[in-house]
Amino acid sequence: MTVTGKTWVRAFMTAVAMTVAAPAMSQDYPSRPLELLIPFSAGGANDQVARALASRLEGELGQPVAPINRTGAGGYVAAQEIVTSPADGYKLAHQSLGTFILTSLFDEQSVDPLEDIRYVAQMAQLTSAIAVSADSPYQTLEELLEAMRAAPGEFSWGHTGQGGFHHVNGVSLFQATGVDAVDIPFQGSSASVADLMGGHIDVAVLSSSNYLGFEDELRFLAFMSEERDAVLPDVPTVVELGIDMAMVETPSVVVVHKDTPDAVVDRLQAAIEAVVAQQDYQESLLQMGVSPIFATGEEILERIEINIPRWREVIDSTRETAN
């Protein structure tokens, strides 16, 4: 046999050995500690959700899960680390799906959120709500929208910044209901809450996490979601009110390298589902103002693919307005 032939045979046998070994490696998973990248600064709601998951995954997986903050670029710094790491399931990343997808729609990113990563499971969800101050005369969303339509350009509304899911939801709601209002971006929700309570803006798009601690100062009129919020279950949704708009709910999800073996993904998905079912995890999230909701990776991807065309349409309209 020639040298070339021997080299080819060795390469072939190595490939066969790796193929045979892969299922065994998956069956042993996990056999060492894992990392969970968090694309947000420490202390915020998204960071706390990821840490609540990580601390409980250890009990389900039998290995430590170290939360590591990797901030930047709307989640794409963490995503880039995922796609350049081995596809073995030992490096995970948390993503706030609304922000992650919307960032890619505003500007092309180095990672394709539909092709370059794999969605494992959802463990929580934040949704947008229309809020007014407690001393506002408007008790329902219908009353507020009627007043806003009667006075075009006289009402102001605040949100957490252009391109965020609160901004896109607000634009979509007002477009769907024929409202012309002054768009005022803030650096974070705390500033928009302060201006709303201070009477500097008329309306704000917030999450239920912003309501906690301000129960006597804020009134939530409707959530921009299909299902009622677990923290404020008495507040209706826009779907119940018959409003057809492009809604951007922002699930907290776990992602891995796109080539991660199915057996590993299945193991992670089952572990996350078990954590979300734990009563102490649910209570922990509700105390943060976050809904504990589980969904599979397939369900997450299906939701993205269905909604992207409508989200893109809203985003394009904001660009046209800016120009």
Side-chain angles (χ1 to χ4, degrees), residues 106 162 167-168 171 175 313-323:
F106 268 93
Q162 184 174 16
H167 175 234
V168 174
V171 170
Q175 286 180 349
E313 186 177 325
V314 175
I315 288 171
D316 289 345
S317 74
T318 65
R319 289 197 179 105
E320 292 169 3
T321 301
N323 293 333

mmCIF file of all heavy atoms in Angstrom, residues 106 162 167-168 171 175 313-323:
data_model
loop_
_atom_site.group_PDB
_atom_site.id
_atom_site.type_symbol
_atom_site.label_atom_id
_atom_site.label_comp_id
_atom_site.label_asym_id
_atom_site.label_seq_id
_atom_site.Cartn_x
_atom_site.Cartn_y
_atom_site.Cartn_z
ATOM 1 N N PHE A 106 -32.233 45.101 12.898
ATOM 2 C CA PHE A 106 -31.812 46.489 12.717
ATOM 3 C C PHE A 106 -30.486 46.577 11.970
ATOM 4 O O PHE A 106 -30.294 47.436 11.129
ATOM 5 C CB PHE A 106 -31.693 47.181 14.079
ATOM 6 C CG PHE A 106 -32.953 47.882 14.504
ATOM 7 C CD1 PHE A 106 -33.881 47.226 15.292
ATOM 8 C CD2 PHE A 106 -33.230 49.174 14.107
ATOM 9 C CE1 PHE A 106 -35.051 47.857 15.687
ATOM 10 C CE2 PHE A 106 -34.391 49.817 14.483
ATOM 11 C CZ PHE A 106 -35.309 49.160 15.279
ATOM 12 N N GLN A 162 -34.691 52.889 21.203
ATOM 13 C CA GLN A 162 -35.037 52.426 19.865
ATOM 14 C C GLN A 162 -34.432 51.057 19.583
ATOM 15 O O GLN A 162 -33.268 50.804 19.853
ATOM 16 C CB GLN A 162 -34.546 53.420 18.809
ATOM 17 C CG GLN A 162 -34.978 53.035 17.396
ATOM 18 C CD GLN A 162 -34.626 54.089 16.379
ATOM 19 O OE1 GLN A 162 -33.824 54.964 16.655
ATOM 20 N NE2 GLN A 162 -35.199 54.017 15.199
ATOM 21 N N HIS A 167 -39.915 49.301 22.579
ATOM 22 C CA HIS A 167 -40.090 50.290 21.516
ATOM 23 C C HIS A 167 -40.886 49.716 20.345
ATOM 24 O O HIS A 167 -41.855 50.315 19.868
ATOM 25 C CB HIS A 167 -38.718 50.771 21.027
ATOM 26 C CG HIS A 167 -38.786 51.702 19.865
ATOM 27 N ND1 HIS A 167 -38.092 51.489 18.692
ATOM 28 C CD2 HIS A 167 -39.486 52.849 19.674
ATOM 29 C CE1 HIS A 167 -38.349 52.476 17.845
ATOM 30 N NE2 HIS A 167 -39.187 53.308 18.414
ATOM 31 N N VAL A 168 -40.483 48.531 19.888
ATOM 32 C CA VAL A 168 -41.157 47.918 18.741
ATOM 33 C C VAL A 168 -42.615 47.602 19.084
ATOM 34 O O VAL A 168 -43.517 47.806 18.264
ATOM 35 C CB VAL A 168 -40.409 46.657 18.282
ATOM 36 C CG1 VAL A 168 -41.185 45.924 17.195
ATOM 37 C CG2 VAL A 168 -39.017 47.036 17.769
ATOM 38 N N VAL A 171 -44.598 50.993 19.052
ATOM 39 C CA VAL A 171 -44.824 51.444 17.675
ATOM 40 C C VAL A 171 -45.910 50.602 17.011
ATOM 41 O O VAL A 171 -46.819 51.115 16.358
ATOM 42 C CB VAL A 171 -43.515 51.366 16.858
ATOM 43 C CG1 VAL A 171 -43.788 51.601 15.364
ATOM 44 C CG2 VAL A 171 -42.507 52.388 17.372
ATOM 45 N N GLN A 175 -49.520 51.997 15.717
ATOM 46 C CA GLN A 175 -49.829 51.871 14.293
ATOM 47 C C GLN A 175 -51.134 51.112 14.091
ATOM 48 O O GLN A 175 -51.970 51.502 13.268
ATOM 49 C CB GLN A 175 -48.695 51.146 13.566
ATOM 50 C CG GLN A 175 -47.437 51.966 13.366
ATOM 51 C CD GLN A 175 -46.343 51.191 12.647
ATOM 52 O OE1 GLN A 175 -46.435 49.969 12.475
ATOM 53 N NE2 GLN A 175 -45.298 51.890 12.226
ATOM 54 N N GLU A 313 -41.375 44.437 9.432
ATOM 55 C CA GLU A 313 -42.235 45.482 8.876
ATOM 56 C C GLU A 313 -42.320 46.685 9.819
ATOM 57 O O GLU A 313 -42.245 47.839 9.387
ATOM 58 C CB GLU A 313 -43.630 44.899 8.637
ATOM 59 C CG GLU A 313 -44.599 45.821 7.928
ATOM 60 C CD GLU A 313 -45.936 45.144 7.666
ATOM 61 O OE1 GLU A 313 -45.950 43.925 7.402
ATOM 62 O OE2 GLU A 313 -46.958 45.840 7.712
ATOM 63 N N VAL A 314 -42.468 46.422 11.114
ATOM 64 C CA VAL A 314 -42.529 47.502 12.096
ATOM 65 C C VAL A 314 -41.196 48.243 12.155
ATOM 66 O O VAL A 314 -41.155 49.472 12.176
ATOM 67 C CB VAL A 314 -42.900 46.952 13.493
ATOM 68 C CG1 VAL A 314 -42.831 48.070 14.535
ATOM 69 C CG2 VAL A 314 -44.299 46.348 13.471
ATOM 70 N N ILE A 315 -40.096 47.503 12.176
ATOM 71 C CA ILE A 315 -38.773 48.114 12.251
ATOM 72 C C ILE A 315 -38.508 48.974 11.023
ATOM 73 O O ILE A 315 -37.991 50.090 11.122
ATOM 74 C CB ILE A 315 -37.694 47.027 12.399
ATOM 75 C CG1 ILE A 315 -37.774 46.425 13.803
ATOM 76 C CG2 ILE A 315 -36.301 47.588 12.134
ATOM 77 C CD1 ILE A 315 -36.920 45.202 14.002
ATOM 78 N N ASP A 316 -38.868 48.482 9.849
ATOM 79 C CA ASP A 316 -38.683 49.282 8.633
ATOM 80 C C ASP A 316 -39.471 50.574 8.689
ATOM 81 O O ASP A 316 -39.024 51.612 8.190
ATOM 82 C CB ASP A 316 -39.088 48.457 7.405
ATOM 83 C CG ASP A 316 -38.097 47.339 7.092
ATOM 84 O OD1 ASP A 316 -36.972 47.387 7.633
ATOM 85 O OD2 ASP A 316 -38.451 46.428 6.319
ATOM 86 N N SER A 317 -40.654 50.517 9.297
ATOM 87 C CA SER A 317 -41.468 51.730 9.395
ATOM 88 C C SER A 317 -40.827 52.760 10.324
ATOM 89 O O SER A 317 -40.950 53.960 10.092
ATOM 90 C CB SER A 317 -42.879 51.381 9.900
ATOM 91 O OG SER A 317 -42.877 51.070 11.277
ATOM 92 N N THR A 318 -40.115 52.307 11.354
ATOM 93 C CA THR A 318 -39.443 53.258 12.249
ATOM 94 C C THR A 318 -38.269 53.908 11.531
ATOM 95 O O THR A 318 -37.976 55.077 11.773
ATOM 96 C CB THR A 318 -38.935 52.552 13.532
ATOM 97 O OG1 THR A 318 -37.911 51.602 13.204
ATOM 98 C CG2 THR A 318 -40.074 51.859 14.249
ATOM 99 N N ARG A 319 -37.619 53.171 10.644
ATOM 100 C CA ARG A 319 -36.529 53.766 9.863
ATOM 101 C C ARG A 319 -37.062 54.843 8.932
ATOM 102 O O ARG A 319 -36.470 55.903 8.774
ATOM 103 C CB ARG A 319 -35.819 52.677 9.055
ATOM 104 C CG ARG A 319 -34.976 51.703 9.887
ATOM 105 C CD ARG A 319 -34.025 50.957 8.975
ATOM 106 N NE ARG A 319 -33.189 50.026 9.712
ATOM 107 C CZ ARG A 319 -33.355 48.717 9.711
ATOM 108 N NH1 ARG A 319 -34.343 48.172 8.998
ATOM 109 N NH2 ARG A 319 -32.550 47.928 10.399
ATOM 110 N N GLU A 320 -38.202 54.556 8.305
ATOM 111 C CA GLU A 320 -38.810 55.521 7.377
ATOM 112 C C GLU A 320 -39.196 56.789 8.110
ATOM 113 O O GLU A 320 -39.015 57.901 7.624
ATOM 114 C CB GLU A 320 -40.031 54.883 6.711
ATOM 115 C CG GLU A 320 -39.681 53.747 5.772
ATOM 116 C CD GLU A 320 -40.909 52.966 5.331
ATOM 117 O OE1 GLU A 320 -42.040 53.368 5.726
ATOM 118 O OE2 GLU A 320 -40.766 51.950 4.625
ATOM 119 N N THR A 321 -39.738 56.639 9.341
ATOM 120 C CA THR A 321 -40.135 57.802 10.139
ATOM 121 C C THR A 321 -38.926 58.628 10.518
ATOM 122 O O THR A 321 -38.938 59.853 10.489
ATOM 123 C CB THR A 321 -40.864 57.339 11.414
ATOM 124 O OG1 THR A 321 -42.013 56.569 11.038
ATOM 125 C CG2 THR A 321 -41.317 58.526 12.231
ATOM 126 N N ALA A 322 -37.817 57.921 10.863
ATOM 127 C CA ALA A 322 -36.590 58.624 11.276
ATOM 128 C C ALA A 322 -35.997 59.412 10.118
ATOM 129 O O ALA A 322 -35.389 60.455 10.314
ATOM 130 C CB ALA A 322 -35.571 57.625 11.813
ATOM 131 N N ASN A 323 -36.179 58.901 8.901
ATOM 132 C CA ASN A 323 -35.634 59.590 7.734
ATOM 133 C C ASN A 323 -36.548 60.716 7.267
ATOM 134 O O ASN A 323 -36.184 61.529 6.447
ATOM 135 C CB ASN A 323 -35.450 58.580 6.580
ATOM 136 C CG ASN A 323 -34.373 57.561 6.893
ATOM 137 O OD1 ASN A 323 -33.460 57.841 7.650
ATOM 138 N ND2 ASN A 323 -34.477 56.356 6.320
#
